[in-house]
Amino acid sequence: MALMKIKFDLKKRVKLAQFVWFLYWFSVMAGVLVLSMGLFFKIELRKRSELMDNNESHFLPNLLIFVGFIACGINAFGGKVCYDSLDPTKFAKWQPMLKPFLMSCVGFNVLLFLTALLCFVMRIPLQFTLAEGLKNGMKFYKDTDTPGRCYMKRTLDLMQIEFRCCGNNNYRDWFEIQWVSNRYLDFSAKAVKDRIGSNVDGQYLMDGVPFSCCNPSSPRPCIQGKMTNNSAHYSYDHYTEELNVWKRGCREAMLSYYGGLMNTIGALVLLVTILEVAVMIGLQYVNTSLSTLANPEDPESESEGWILEKTMKETFTDIMATMKAMGKANQVDEGAEAGVATVS
């Protein structure tokens, strides 16, 4: 028994073909949107690629660009088939291709669904990528004269200003690294010697942060140096004073931005997947309704359309039987080849 069988006359078939044709071209626009979101996501990642610990983060935008491009091609082809279905003579040339095409649509919809899932789960590896990338980036902040790292200071400063954040986890991360280049330190000064001598790694550490950590909304002039020294500033207590630097760490800020972007794209791809399933079902109805005309010579005769020729259980059983038969055929071929090799 066919699954979800529906009877059609000429008027219903024409309306169905026109509606599915419209959905297909709407799906082309959806494919363009997915492709555009993939390009936008890739550009956003490239802006801060120096702060990413690996290149695997570009896998998702590349996948989005790929599925968006494929969606445009598949839906354009489906729209052409639906348009030609209004003319039985034109539709006849497409009928032999429709079964393989619909099978490829099933595979593509599975890929779309997996892409949507990836958009939601990639937040976890992105968190570790950002943590390690920001940690390394902060170490190279001072290396403005080193080839390959000379733009790290600019990248980090722009990021902290744009995302209103400071450090990796918080502003205190800057206390643990030397972020001022040696070329700007007076090594003859006692204060500099004392600071370097007090550190086992010989680094110039201080309780200060770069200017980009400053919160411009604070009414007090920014205190970015000697932040833990109450006597260095008038009427200041770093334990109780509302600090005028950003408190949120940049890993949290960037994860929130990229995570929100991926969730939005994931929801969009899920909607596109639903749309693709709908147009695939619509094309199947168009195909079966035209293949089962009571009188093929009379286009106005009634017909029946369905999603599957058999029930879900029967279809699944047939697929498993086909796969087993293919497996046995492969075993027979391998056995025959082994026998020939032995004889030789």
Side-chain angles (χ1 to χ4, degrees):
M1 182 180 177
L3 179 66
M4 298 185 71
K5 186 188 293 185
I6 300 175
K7 289 189 176 182
F8 290 91
D9 55 21
L10 178 61
K11 187 178 179 181
K12 284 184 178 179
R13 284 195 299 271
V14 170
K15 283 187 176 180
L16 173 65
Q18 290 174 337
F19 180 66
V20 177
W21 174 85
F22 170 78
L23 284 183
Y24 261 121
W25 288 106
F26 186 75
S27 298
V28 170
M29 296 298 103
V32 171
L33 182 59
V34 172
L35 191 152
S36 302
M37 292 299 287
L39 285 171
F40 174 75
F41 191 27
K42 190 174 183 68
I43 291 169
E44 286 298 297
L45 287 174
R46 279 195 177 276
K47 283 181 182 177
R48 303 166 190 94
S49 58
E50 297 165 317
L51 303 176
M52 304 288 178
D53 186 46
N54 55 51
N55 294 321
E56 284 77 9
S57 54
H58 290 276
F59 171 76
L60 182 58
N62 289 339
L63 181 60
L64 288 167
I65 293 169
F66 173 74
V67 296
F69 182 76
I70 296 299
C72 292
I74 285 179
N75 292 318
F77 179 81
K80 173 63 175 172
V81 172
C82 286
Y83 181 80
D84 285 350
S85 68
L86 298 173
D87 185 344
T89 57
K90 290 183 178 179
F91 183 71
K93 67 180 180 182
W94 299 116
Q95 276 191 309
M97 307 180 196
L98 283 182
K99 189 171 183 180
F101 175 70
L102 288 167
M103 291 298 293
S104 65
C105 287
V106 172
F108 177 68
N109 289 337
V110 172
L111 178 61
L112 267 179
F113 181 71
L114 292 176
T115 303
L117 288 183
L118 273 177
C119 290
F120 295 115
V121 302
M122 281 294 284
R123 181 188 178 97
I124 299 170
L126 181 63
Q127 181 175 1
F128 296 105
T129 296
L130 286 171
E132 196 62 28
L134 284 167
K135 183 180 177 181
N136 293 332
M138 289 172 65
K139 288 179 182 177
F140 303 144
Y141 182 88
K142 67 181 187 301
D143 299 339
T144 51
D145 297 327
T146 305
R149 301 177 186 171
C150 54
Y151 292 107
M152 186 58 73
K153 178 183 182 300
R154 180 178 180 274
T155 300
L156 277 167
D157 282 333
L158 289 176
M159 177 202 65
Q160 292 190 143
I161 292 171
E162 180 180 354
F163 287 93
R164 299 185 175 187
C165 60
C166 187
N168 191 344
N169 297 308
N170 54 58
Y171 68 93
R172 288 185 173 272
D173 293 332
W174 288 108
F175 297 178
E176 300 171 5
I177 60 169
Q178 179 180 336
W179 53 272
V180 177
S181 175
N182 287 340
R183 67 180 294 190
Y184 302 115
L185 296 176
D186 181 5
F187 286 93
S188 63
K190 184 178 182 300
V192 174
K193 289 180 180 178
D194 290 344
R195 280 190 179 275
I196 293 176
S198 63
N199 183 260
V200 292
D201 296 324
Q203 292 186 338
Y204 181 78
L205 304 183
M206 59 180 181
D207 53 346
V209 297
F211 79 96
S212 52
C213 284
C214 293
N215 180 356
S217 301
S218 173
R220 182 172 188 155
C222 185
I223 297 176
Q224 64 181 99
K226 300 181 179 180
M227 295 177 66
T228 60
N229 187 352
N230 292 337
S231 62
H233 311 284
Y234 176 73
S235 185
Y236 175 75
D237 184 353
H238 76 278
Y239 289 111
T240 59
E241 186 79 11
E242 186 69 24
L243 294 175
N244 49 12
V245 297
W246 302 116
K247 295 181 180 179
R248 186 166 69 156
C250 291
R251 178 179 61 174
E252 179 189 345
M254 291 181 71
L255 188 64
S256 175
Y257 172 71
Y258 285 119
L261 188 59
M262 287 191 293
N263 288 343
T264 302
I265 295 173
L268 170 68
V269 176
L270 276 180
L271 290 175
V272 173
T273 305
I274 294 171
L275 180 61
E276 291 291 342
V277 171
V279 293
M280 180 184 68
I281 291 172
L283 182 60
Q284 172 68 351
Y285 272 118
V286 170
N287 181 34
T288 52
S289 65
L290 287 171
S291 302
T292 58
L293 287 170
N295 182 7
E297 302 297 327
D298 181 13
E300 296 187 5
S301 60
E302 291 189 346
S303 62
E304 292 180 340
W306 55 75
I307 297 177
L308 294 173
E309 193 172 357
K310 299 178 182 179
T311 61
M312 289 284 289
K313 184 178 179 180
E314 291 172 337
T315 303
F316 180 75
T317 303
D318 289 348
I319 292 172
M320 293 303 294
T322 303
M323 291 176 66
K324 285 180 181 178
M326 290 174 64
K328 287 180 180 179
N330 288 335
Q331 288 177 359
V332 170
D333 291 343
E334 288 173 3
E337 289 176 2
V340 170
T342 303
V343 171
S344 299

